[in-house]
């Protein structure tokens, strides 16, 4: 695994550590019981999440509610930037309606933390996830709750595997004119980070060339899969887990691991300061970092956070050349590429 840009070291560290054994610490039965009783007295929590598909988010909420009867999870699945906009509007109106906030844009957490809008809480289970994913915020304001992988996806009825693009620059070939599907960086945290990663890899000229192929642009990265399944487009910059799941159900969906790198998204989650249900939020945050929740994510082809949980994807992150941006790069860079996107693509 080598890269001409400076991410290879961090990517290698992450990838190698994905196979490492976790620490054994976890919430004691006594502490769990006390937290559960306090959460049950509050009765519910609201979770804004951009980490998963709507189906997987609902499944996670349902498994939690079976695990902890009497604590309801109100699941609100939306894109990262829509979730953040909703949160900021709630804060301006006098108080957040959300208890646990799960954006895919780590820059959101850096900004929330700088404004004192996150609750400090380090779940005991945070010590059980893969070592490289622990302590991304040294002050314990937010923690990694999922990992995303973005590569090239394609409709296998329209494009045979041997004819599919092999790397990101292949999408610039004129033969893919009116064939490419993309999400929008102004709505999707995944797409914002993918856009910034491509910019760092190839410069903004990559998108000026890609625009000439007239891509169809949705909002969420999940919209790209809808376009592929409908046959409106044949290739996309897409997320692997929903593509794996669709293929397992018999849909004509294929994936390519780009030779120039798969984009890895480190997606955190945190409790909002002033949460109306602080104990329910802590219990949910604790469970989200458990091996049990990691297994639920893996059932839907998500990348496990625990070494003890086996993923269902054709390849794990540890087997891939991955590209990972640093939080400060994302915070500084995503806003800029969103502006450039509007200038280049006109929306």
């Amino acid at each position: 695994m080598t890269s001409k840009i400076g991410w290879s070291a961090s990517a290698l560290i992450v990838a190698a550590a994905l196979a490492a054994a976790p620490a054994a610490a976890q919430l004691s039965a006594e502490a769990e019981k006390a937290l559960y009783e306090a959460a049950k007295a509050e009765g519910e929590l609201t979770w804004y999440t951009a980490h998963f598909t709507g189906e997987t988010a609902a499944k996670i909420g349902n498994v939690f509610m079976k695990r902890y009867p009497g604590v309801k999870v109100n699941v609100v699945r939306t894109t990262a930037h829509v979730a953040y906009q909703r949160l900021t509007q709630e804060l301006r109106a006098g108080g957040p309606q959300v208890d646990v906030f799960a954006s895919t844009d780590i820059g959101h957490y850096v900004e929330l933390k700088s404004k004192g809008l996150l609750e400090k809480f380090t779940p005991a289970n945070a010590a059980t996830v893969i070592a490289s994913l622990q302590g991304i915020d040294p002050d314990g304001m937010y923690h990694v709750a999922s990992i995303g992988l973005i590569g090239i996806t394609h409709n296998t009825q329209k494009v045979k595997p041997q004819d599919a693009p092999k790397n990101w620059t292949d999408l610039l070939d004129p033969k893919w004119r009116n064939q490419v599907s993309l999400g929008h960086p102004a709505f999707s945290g995944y797409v914002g980070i993918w856009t910034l990663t491509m910019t760092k890899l190839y410069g903004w000229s990559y998108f000026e060339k890609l625009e000439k192929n007239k891509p169809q642009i949705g909002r969420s990265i999940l919209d790209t899969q809808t376009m592929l399944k409908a046959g409106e487009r044949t290739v996309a910059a897409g997320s692997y887990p929903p593509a794996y799941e669709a293929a397992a159900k018999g849909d004509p969906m294929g994936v390519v691991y780009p030779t120039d790198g798969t984009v890895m998204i480190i997606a955190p989650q945190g409790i909002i300061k002033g949460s109306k249900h602080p104990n329910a939020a802590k219990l949910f945050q604790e469970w989200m970092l458990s091996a049990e929740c990691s297994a639920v994510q893996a059932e839907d082809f998500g990348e496990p956070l625990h070494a003890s949980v086996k993923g269902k994807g054709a390849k794990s992150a540890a087997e891939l050349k991955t590209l990972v941006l640093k939080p400060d790069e994302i915070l500084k860079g995503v806003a800029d590429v969103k502006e450039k996107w509007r200038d280049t693509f006109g929306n």
Side-chain angles (χ1 to χ4, degrees):
M1 294 181 184
T2 59
S3 173
K4 65 181 181 181
I5 49 180
W7 310 317
S8 55
S10 60
L12 282 169
I13 291 168
V14 171
L18 287 171
Q26 58 183 345
L27 190 65
S28 70
E30 191 174 82
E32 181 186 18
K33 182 181 178 182
L35 184 56
Y36 175 34
E37 291 301 322
K40 203 158 53 170
E42 295 170 352
E44 64 178 334
L45 71 128
T46 296
W47 177 41
Y48 291 177
T49 181
H51 287 199
F52 311 102
T53 64
E55 292 79 8
T56 299
K59 183 177 181 178
I60 288 171
N62 287 333
V63 173
F64 174 83
M65 288 187 282
K66 287 181 181 176
R67 179 78 169 79
Y68 298 103
V71 186
K72 180 184 177 184
V73 183
N74 302 304
V75 180
V76 180
R77 197 282 162 191
T78 184
T79 61
H81 297 299
V82 169
Y84 191 65
Q85 183 181 41
R86 186 169 177 169
L87 170 61
T88 53
Q89 288 172 344
E90 291 172 356
L91 291 168
R92 286 194 205 102
Q97 301 302 308
V98 57
D99 298 291
V100 180
F101 182 73
S103 169
T104 50
D105 186 338
I106 198 169
H108 290 161
Y109 301 92
V110 176
E111 188 165 320
L112 288 169
K113 179 183 175 182
S114 70
K115 295 178 178 177
L117 295 172
L118 290 173
E119 189 72 40
K120 183 174 183 176
F121 176 64
T122 299
N125 280 328
T128 70
V129 303
I130 293 163
S132 64
L133 303 179
Q134 296 178 18
I136 58 164
D137 177 43
D139 298 318
M141 300 290 187
Y142 52 89
H143 306 271
V144 175
S146 73
I147 300 170
L149 296 173
I150 301 176
I152 296 171
T153 54
H154 63 103
N155 182 317
T156 55
Q157 289 181 340
K158 306 283 186 180
V159 179
K160 300 300 180 188
Q162 60 270 28
D163 299 324
K166 301 299 184 291
N167 55 52
W168 294 113
T169 55
D170 282 353
L171 293 175
L172 306 180
D173 191 307
K175 74 178 182 179
W176 299 115
R177 184 178 172 85
N178 296 320
Q179 299 300 316
V180 179
S181 172
L182 304 172
H184 198 302
F187 294 94
S188 168
Y190 268 43
V191 179
I193 294 169
W194 171 77
T195 304
L196 184 59
T197 305
M198 290 300 103
T199 303
K200 189 167 182 180
L201 195 58
Y202 295 115
W204 191 254
S205 62
Y206 176 84
F207 290 100
E208 292 171 340
K209 296 172 184 173
L210 187 59
E211 190 277 334
K212 298 185 186 308
N213 276 346
K214 304 302 178 188
Q216 186 175 21
I217 300 172
R219 288 192 174 189
S220 169
I221 196 167
L222 300 176
D223 292 340
T224 64
Q225 184 153 306
T226 302
M227 297 175 206
L228 294 186
K229 288 172 69 174
E232 296 171 1
R233 288 291 191 269
T234 61
V235 296
S239 175
Y240 286 151
Y244 288 144
E245 187 172 10
K249 292 177 179 176
D251 291 332
M253 198 63 56
V255 304
V256 173
Y257 305 100
T259 56
D260 41 358
T262 296
V263 177
M264 179 184 283
I265 310 292
I266 305 296
Q269 179 166 289
I271 299 173
I272 298 300
K273 193 82 173 180
S275 159
K276 294 179 179 177
H277 312 98
N279 291 300
K282 289 178 181 176
L283 183 66
F284 187 67
Q285 186 79 326
E286 188 73 67
W287 184 77
M288 281 293 297
L289 272 66
S290 70
E292 182 182 11
C293 182
S294 193
V296 175
Q297 295 183 36
E299 285 177 4
D300 285 0
F301 298 89
E303 190 72 26
L305 300 183
H306 292 75
S308 60
V309 178
K310 184 172 175 54
K312 292 173 64 177
K315 289 189 177 181
S316 72
E319 300 173 88
L320 300 172
K321 175 183 177 180
T322 51
L323 305 173
V324 187
L325 292 182
K326 296 174 183 175
D328 61 336
E329 291 178 302
I330 295 170
L331 182 64
K332 295 174 183 174
V334 169
D336 182 52
V337 298
K338 285 194 291 188
E339 286 300 317
K340 288 182 175 176
W341 185 280
R342 292 191 179 93
D343 293 340
T344 300
F345 293 98
N347 63 12

